[in-house]
Amino acid sequence: MSPKSVTTTSHAQATPSRRELLAAEHGPPARAHGPAAAGRLLRVGLVYPNAYAIGMASLGFQIAYQVLEGIAGVAPERFFLDTAAQGSIETGTPLGDFDVIAFSAAYEMDGPHVLDLLELAGLPLEARHRRPEAGWPLVLHGGVLVSVNRLPLYPFIDVFAHGEAEGILPPVMERLRRPGVDAGSRLAALAGLPGIELTAGARAAAGLPLTAGEEPLVDLLDRPLAELASLALPAPAAPPRAVAALLADAPFTSRILTPHNEFSNMALVDLARGCPHHCTFCWIGHNAPAYRTRSLTEILAGIERLQPHTDRFGLVASAVGAHPDIDPLCEELMARGLRVSYSSLRVEEVSDTMLRALAAGGQRTVTIAPEAGSRRVRRLLGKRITDEQIFAVTEKIFGLGAENLKLYFMTGIPSETDEEALAIAAFTEKIRAIQLRWARPRGRMGTIQINLGVFVPKPGIPLNHIEPVPLARIKSRLRKVVQALARIPNTHTAVSSPDLARAQGVLSMGGVEAARYALLVREQGYDWRAANRVWRAVQPADFAWKGTGAPRVATAALHAHSSLPSVRVEG
């Protein structure tokens, strides 16, 4: 239950007009807030740099919007990549007319879209060119993307917000609304707030001092592409993240429901933050703040508020089954006659009650993520589950009435062999045998949908200890796996692009010099393969193994022990 991502600037898809989108929205009213303190009305354009259907399926974006709605004296309006040319969803006001343009994003590939939207708003792309006396809106960027890697966007943003919306937005808006704070003084007003980073370009434009060695960060984009590899660019220090307590009065569900998003008219409910697991390929388990859960009472109160508007609820967490009250919650949802979906379903945590809740809602397609067909590779990824455990859960899924199964696998994993990748097909054949056994008495056969992804490195994950698989070998391996899967009846395979994965790796792992890559992607018309060819010639280090500063793990040892050193980055 995760929204797809659009990686094109084409708006030719049949997106309804912003008036039609607004008319179709429904849900409970915004929470009332107290009287505004002294200060001016602050107009905030909250921007999701992708399509409306994807942005409105993002619980993080919906929570940020509700946090802004709940601040007296702040008037937020929403923008999306495919509707921004029509102005805000609420009033049609142009993006450039707002006091603050606040981006919220979670996906690296949406970074270049931020530049598209700044251009649409009529702003100079670089923060150093937006001098206060010109009255430009303040450009703020928050969301998970800032924590994963903000550096490819560093020259274009005035202020990065490191942390969770509930903890970071109220003090920022309060400072910006203070009497006397204007375009010339707003950066100084924000200085020192928890989680707030003022970029070098924005400080230079406002006449604020730079620290020693920051000058190259300001004029980076003036340098010829050929010079990038030889530049010694400093890495700007990030402040500690502002982490919010999971307060009962803070928003944690969708408020606006719509038939025009990826989860049509489904209300999303945040069960927990962080992750109790440490899968070696996953950023969250090694970098996000500590695992925190909401109480059952609080969750049910949030669901009750939305019940008059929908009977479809999506439970959201990095590991839904890890919530200590997941079974009582599912029992209550079934008792209320509500339909339930999960953002993730870990085989080792899924309970019979969770599966019964899916069946009670009439769900005919269930998604699980074995990640690998080889047990050694699965253990390398931190998934300590056996084939037998997966097959047992699959039996239960089909036994409760599901007809279709969606399986997520990944290839291009460091140290993986061709034989281990081909084990995906052999594993899928065994899953199909289980499906067929249940389908025969019913007289109808469902499908198995394979989502075959490509490993993308992320900052601070243990798999960065191992040299990556070369791109040519990944492409060859994908072809072999797809050919093997094509021989399995009733099985359909969606394959990730290795070139897109390599581009995502540049934006995920690159430094401030990758800002040139973001520009290059736009110059190449979002032809990622062409952008990669140009970038490889001038910045080959972004396509080479960077390691983690720790000793490299020998491949032979990995095949023997299927494990990696534990790496956890606190912050």
Side-chain angles (χ1 to χ4, degrees):
M1 198 189 73
S2 59
K4 295 174 290 187
S5 183
V6 171
T7 55
T8 174
T9 53
S10 171
H11 300 167
Q13 299 176 11
T15 302
S17 71
R18 68 104 188 156
R19 291 180 184 275
E20 292 170 323
L21 292 170
L22 184 63
E25 294 179 347
H26 61 104
R31 297 174 186 269
H33 51 63
R40 64 191 181 95
L41 177 69
L42 195 68
R43 302 187 69 195
V44 179
L46 180 64
V47 187
Y48 193 89
N50 211 310
Y52 176 93
I54 297 169
M56 288 305 292
S58 164
L59 184 53
F61 182 80
Q62 288 233 18
I63 287 174
Y65 184 65
Q66 291 176 74
V67 170
L68 290 169
E69 282 185 310
I71 304 173
V74 174
E77 300 186 28
R78 290 164 294 145
F79 289 83
F80 302 91
L81 182 66
D82 54 348
T83 62
Q86 304 172 49
S88 71
I89 295 293
E90 287 77 2
T91 66
T93 302
L95 182 57
D97 290 355
F98 285 77
D99 301 305
V100 178
I101 297 175
F103 289 97
S104 176
Y107 184 48
E108 300 95 334
M109 304 297 270
D110 287 339
H113 295 322
V114 170
L115 310 188
D116 297 332
L117 289 155
L118 288 176
E119 188 172 77
L120 177 70
L123 275 65
L125 286 186
E126 294 181 63
R128 61 174 172 150
H129 295 318
R130 298 194 290 265
R131 301 188 67 82
E133 57 266 25
W136 301 112
L138 180 72
V139 179
L140 175 76
H141 200 310
V144 175
L145 178 57
V146 172
S147 296
V148 174
N149 190 18
R150 76 208 187 282
L151 296 181
L153 290 174
Y154 188 85
F156 312 110
I157 305 299
D158 297 325
V159 178
F160 284 111
H162 297 257
E164 296 170 333
E166 308 93 313
I168 209 161
L169 285 176
V172 167
M173 297 300 137
E174 186 275 328
R175 291 279 182 96
L176 293 175
R177 287 193 64 251
R178 284 181 179 177
V181 173
D182 57 16
S185 59
R186 61 194 179 190
L187 283 184
L190 295 178
L193 280 178
I196 290 299
E197 176 186 13
L198 312 179
T199 65
R203 281 181 281 124
L208 297 178
L210 300 177
T211 59
E214 281 191 310
E215 290 81 1
L217 298 176
V218 177
D219 63 0
L220 165 69
L221 300 184
D222 288 340
R223 308 296 182 92
L225 269 176
E227 289 186 11
L228 285 180
S230 60
L231 288 178
L233 294 169
R241 273 170 279 183
V243 178
L246 298 188
L247 302 176
D249 59 350
F252 65 94
T253 68
S254 308
R255 184 181 75 75
I256 300 173
L257 308 177
T258 173
H260 296 298
N261 75 6
E262 291 286 319
F263 310 129
S264 180
N265 289 320
M266 179 187 289
L268 304 180
V269 183
D270 180 32
L271 302 187
R273 301 282 175 88
C275 186
H277 304 288
H278 306 299
C279 299
T280 60
F281 64 95
C282 181
W283 181 87
I284 293 175
H286 297 276
N287 297 272
Y291 183 60
R292 296 157 291 155
T293 61
R294 297 188 186 280
S295 71
L296 179 61
T297 300
E298 182 184 355
I299 293 167
L300 291 174
I303 289 171
E304 188 168 338
R305 183 167 178 258
L306 285 156
Q307 267 187 250
H309 307 280
T310 185
D311 68 345
R312 300 183 65 215
F313 286 84
L315 307 183
V316 178
S318 58
V320 172
H323 193 285
D325 291 315
I326 188 60
D327 281 353
L329 174 58
C330 289
E331 294 281 7
E332 181 62 28
L333 292 174
M334 285 190 284
R336 297 185 185 189
L338 301 177
R339 293 182 288 169
V340 63
S341 295
Y342 310 116
S343 62
S344 62
L345 201 59
R346 293 181 65 97
V347 167
E348 66 269 43
E349 292 172 348
V350 65
S351 66
D352 290 352
T353 304
M354 292 175 69
L355 294 177
R356 285 194 296 107
L358 286 177
Q363 192 146 324
R364 293 292 174 260
T365 301
V366 177
T367 302
I368 59 176
E371 304 295 357
S374 155
R375 184 174 181 183
R376 184 199 72 84
V377 175
R378 206 178 299 136
R379 286 177 61 83
L380 176 70
L381 296 175
K383 299 276 188 176
R384 297 185 176 275
I385 49 176
T386 65
D387 291 359
E388 291 71 28
Q389 286 176 285
I390 300 171
F391 298 151
V393 168
T394 303
E395 290 275 6
K396 292 177 181 178
I397 288 171
F398 290 128
L400 286 166
E403 297 177 357
N404 311 303
L405 196 64
K406 183 179 287 188
L407 301 174
Y408 278 86
F409 291 102
M410 182 166 46
T411 190
I413 299 161
S415 84
E416 175 194 53
T417 66
D418 283 359
E419 291 73 20
E420 287 172 326
L422 284 168
I424 291 171
F427 184 91
T428 302
E429 287 180 331
K430 294 176 182 178
I431 292 287
R432 185 180 179 276
I434 297 171
Q435 181 189 40
L436 186 60
R437 191 161 58 249
W438 285 96
R440 279 179 176 145
R442 296 169 181 162
R444 60 183 182 273
M445 184 69 180
T447 62
I448 296 176
Q449 174 69 51
I450 304 293
N451 279 60
L452 185 56
V454 176
F455 168 72
V456 175
K458 302 284 183 180
I461 63 171
L463 278 189
N464 290 346
H465 283 275
I466 317 171
E467 188 170 357
V469 181
L471 183 61
R473 192 176 302 163
I474 292 174
K475 291 182 176 181
S476 170
R477 188 168 294 166
L478 275 173
R479 285 193 294 269
K480 293 176 183 178
V481 176
V482 170
Q483 288 170 0
L485 289 169
R487 292 191 284 269
I488 305 173
N490 298 93
T491 299
H492 308 287
T493 304
V495 186
S496 295
S497 162
D499 293 297
L500 278 178
R502 192 52 52 97
Q504 187 180 352
V506 172
L507 294 171
S508 176
M509 299 292 288
V512 288
E513 75 285 346
R516 291 300 296 270
Y517 181 76
L519 289 172
L520 181 63
V521 167
R522 298 174 75 241
E523 292 166 7
Q524 297 292 330
Y526 284 81
D527 182 337
W528 299 94
R529 182 180 296 180
N532 287 351
R533 280 198 301 266
V534 175
W535 194 248
R536 181 189 294 273
V538 298
Q539 191 71 5
D542 276 357
F543 291 89
W545 180 58
K546 290 183 172 62
T548 60
R552 178 175 171 181
V553 178
T555 300
L558 289 168
H559 282 267
H561 302 293
S562 307
S563 62
L564 276 172
S566 177
V567 175
R568 182 167 176 81
V569 180
E570 303 290 349

